[in-house]
Each structure stands twice: as structure tokens, then as C-alpha cells.
Amino acid sequence: KQEVTQIPAALSVPEGENLVLNCSFTDSAIYNLQWFRQDPGKGLTSLLLIQSSQREQTSGRLNASLDKSSGRSTLYIAASQPGDSATYLCAGRETSGSRLTFGEGTQLTVNP
Amino acid sequence: DTAVSQTPKYLVTQMGNDKSIKCEQNLGHDTMYWYKQDSKKFLKIMFSYNNKELIINETVPNRFSPKSPDKAHLNLHINSLELGDSAVYFCASSQDWEGELFFGSGTQLSVL
């Protein structure tokens, strides 16, 4: 059974800093992995989806990588802004059609 | 033009009551989901439907019954509500059972 872990649980950085959020999964037979952000009291917004055949995906200041052999994915945020403050969640799908297993999230605060 | 919409946004009710949460998506997706987010913000899947057929049914009390009248709708009916049912319930959809998930804004259920 796939387990997903995100460390750290919370992170506070000054504006402008480049940062990396980490996501670890236990089963390397991962089909795809998705990164989301959740603002307080809101739903989840999809940021990036990486298929198992891909090593990374980019969208604007965000770059997500996937290393199946080490069971890790990272979300890189360049030039962080206060508007980036949110909880970031990663979720892995073990096989096609299986459930998406979520990590517990990293709460990011970007200070002006 | 909300892609995944769920109603109501807030639901406050007494123990023992029966309530429903409605979800609709206008993305033309084949697969829909219900997730529960507990007080620790951990997201766990409850049900998944693909083309109106149940494909994932986690260990959820049978007081919870999903109903999919068509591909665009997945409603959640809860009988005999208990205090422990208090949580935020999220509806989501994806193009197919392995695609990127898109979430609704959530229904905060409070059972008194």
C-alpha cells in the first residue's frame, strides 16, 4: 500500500527566496504524482502532474521532479512571493485506476 | 464558470439527521470522487465513480451512500449523522481514472 510523506510539515521563508518542498513515497511502482496547493478554507488547486515516464514538469515559477528509484518528488518554487503562502500537498497514484494517496502537506509561509 | 461545484458550502446539523451533499462538474470528465479531510487536514478517498459505475469504495460506514445519476453528478448522502462525521468533504473529477484531479471548494459539515 502506497504511503506518502511530506517533510517539513511547515516552512517559513522571506520573500524572494528559492525553496524546495519534499515528497516521499514508499512504492516505486508509481503511475503518476500530482502537486496541489490549498488555501485556508478553500479547495485544492492542481499545480503539476508528472507521469511515471517523465522526470520533471514546469509551470511558471514552479518545477516538479520525480525520481522513482529513490521514491522522491520535489517541488521547486523560484523567487517566492507572499501569494505563494498556502499548504502544498503531493499525491501519488500507484497504478492506473488506483486511488490517489495524499501526503499530509507542507504549510508554507512567505514573509514580505 | 466553476468547473467542479458542490453544495452546500457549510452544513450544520444535529446528530441522527440525514443529509446530502451535491456535486456537479462541467468539465466533461468521466471520473468523479469524494474525499474527506479531517481536522488534521489529512485527505482520504471515500468513493470513486467512472462513467456512473463505482470503482473505489474505501472502508467507509454504510451510512454513507454515493449516487451518480449521470457522469456530471456525484452526490453523497449520509444517514444517521454522528459527531465523528464532522469534517470537510471534497468532490473531485478527472478526465479518466488515471488523470489529473480537479477539486471542488469543499463542504464543511458540522454535526452537533
Side-chain angles (χ1 to χ4, degrees), chain B residues 2-61:
Chain B
T2 307
V4 183
S5 59
Q6 53 184 110
T7 55
K9 187 170 175 60
Y10 300 98
L11 185 53
V12 181
T13 188
Q14 299 287 330
M15 238 180 5
N17 283 351
D18 302 339
K19 291 292 179 185
S20 292
I21 306 173
K22 295 185 176 181
C23 180
E24 176 182 3
Q25 54 94 3
N26 62 5
L27 298 168
H29 287 171
D30 287 343
T31 310
M32 296 186 72
Y33 312 79
W34 278 107
Y35 279 84
K36 180 180 180 180
Q37 188 171 44
D38 60 26
S39 57
K40 294 184 178 179
K41 306 299 182 187
F42 188 65
L43 267 162
K44 192 170 180 183
I45 191 164
M46 300 173 70
F47 302 103
S48 176
Y49 272 71
N50 187 66
N51 277 321
K52 301 195 299 174
E53 289 191 26
L54 183 66
I55 57 170
I56 294 176
N57 184 357
E58 287 295 292
T59 307
V60 174

Side-chain angles (χ1 to χ4, degrees), chain A:
Chain A
K1 183 182 174 183
Q2 183 74 268
E3 291 182 9
V4 179
T5 306
Q6 292 185 249
I7 295 173
L11 181 63
S12 182
V13 300
E15 182 176 4
E17 194 162 296
N18 301 325
L19 58 100
V20 174
L21 305 180
N22 296 299
C23 173
S24 300
F25 44 93
T26 53
D27 191 340
S28 61
I30 197 158
Y31 188 78
N32 59 36
L33 188 138
Q34 195 167 351
W35 281 94
F36 299 86
R37 71 173 276 169
Q38 184 175 25
D39 294 281
K42 300 283 179 64
L44 280 70
T45 300
S46 178
L47 298 173
L48 291 162
L49 172 70
I50 311 178
Q51 301 292 349
S52 60
S53 57
Q54 299 172 321
R55 290 190 65 84
E56 63 178 54
Q57 282 278 29
T58 298
S59 175
R61 294 183 294 108
L62 305 179
N63 176 279
S65 67
L66 177 63
D67 184 342
K68 289 171 54 179
S69 61
S70 66
R72 291 183 60 188
S73 176
T74 59
L75 180 67
Y76 174 83
I77 303 177
S80 59
Q81 303 170 357
D84 294 331
S85 298
T87 297
Y88 289 80
L89 297 126
C90 69
R93 196 190 296 276
E94 199 170 313
T95 57
S96 173
S98 72
R99 58 194 55 72
L100 208 60
T101 301
F102 279 82
E104 295 190 8
T106 294
Q107 187 174 342
L108 172 67
T109 303
V110 181
N111 300 300

Side-chain angles (χ1 to χ4, degrees), chain B residues 34-104:
Chain B
W34 278 107
Y35 279 84
K36 180 180 180 180
Q37 188 171 44
D38 60 26
S39 57
K40 294 184 178 179
K41 306 299 182 187
F42 188 65
L43 267 162
K44 192 170 180 183
I45 191 164
M46 300 173 70
F47 302 103
S48 176
Y49 272 71
N50 187 66
N51 277 321
K52 301 195 299 174
E53 289 191 26
L54 183 66
I55 57 170
I56 294 176
N57 184 357
E58 287 295 292
T59 307
V60 174
N62 56 16
R63 299 181 295 104
F64 290 79
S65 53
K67 286 188 171 49
S68 182
D70 54 56
K71 277 187 357 177
H73 296 84
L74 181 61
N75 303 322
L76 183 65
H77 189 74
I78 315 169
N79 289 328
S80 304
L81 278 155
E82 300 177 358
L83 293 176
D85 297 332
S86 296
V88 181
Y89 292 84
F90 286 101
C91 176
S93 73
S94 59
Q95 182 65 57
D96 49 40
W97 57 22
E98 57 197 30
E100 184 178 7
L101 262 70
F102 295 86
F103 278 77

